[in-house]
């Protein structure tokens, strides 16, 4: 299994952007990513990123286009 990729970027003092990889699109061969905004501390953003990466690994993630 490949390691999932994600990172956190601070948008404002109490807002962080979480970006993470959903996998490779078989049609194009490009990486699919999802983005979410987390309000709170950086620790909250780290928890949210871990939660979303675990969901992607388990396969029970929601479609990011919805």
């Amino acid at each position: 299994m490949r390691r999932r990729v994600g990172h956190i970027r601070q948008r404002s003092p109490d807002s962080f952007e979480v970006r993470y990889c959903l996998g490779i699109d078989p049609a194009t061969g490009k990486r699919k990513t999802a983005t979410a905004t987390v309000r709170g501390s950086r620790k909250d953003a780290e928890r949210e990123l871990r939660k979303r990466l675990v969901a992607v690994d388990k396969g029970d993630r929601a479609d990011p286009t919805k």
Side-chain angles (χ1 to χ4, degrees):
M1 180 185 337
R2 296 187 71 182
R3 183 173 169 221
R4 298 291 177 184
V5 179
H7 71 272
I8 300 169
R9 178 176 73 99
Q10 188 169 7
R11 295 183 62 190
S12 67
D14 289 330
S15 178
F16 293 87
E17 178 185 73
V18 175
R19 297 193 73 177
Y20 55 100
C21 179
L22 298 174
I24 304 297
D25 184 5
T28 63
K30 294 184 179 182
R31 189 184 307 183
K32 294 191 298 184
T33 61
T35 305
T37 299
V38 178
R39 301 208 189 285
S41 67
R42 183 169 181 92
K43 284 279 192 192
D44 295 333
E46 290 170 0
R47 276 190 221 105
E48 184 66 25
L49 177 59
R50 278 195 307 270
K51 182 177 90 172
R52 289 176 183 249
L53 289 175
V54 167
V56 168
D57 285 340
K58 288 183 177 179
D60 43 312
R61 64 172 175 80
D63 186 2
T65 59
K66 294 183 179 179

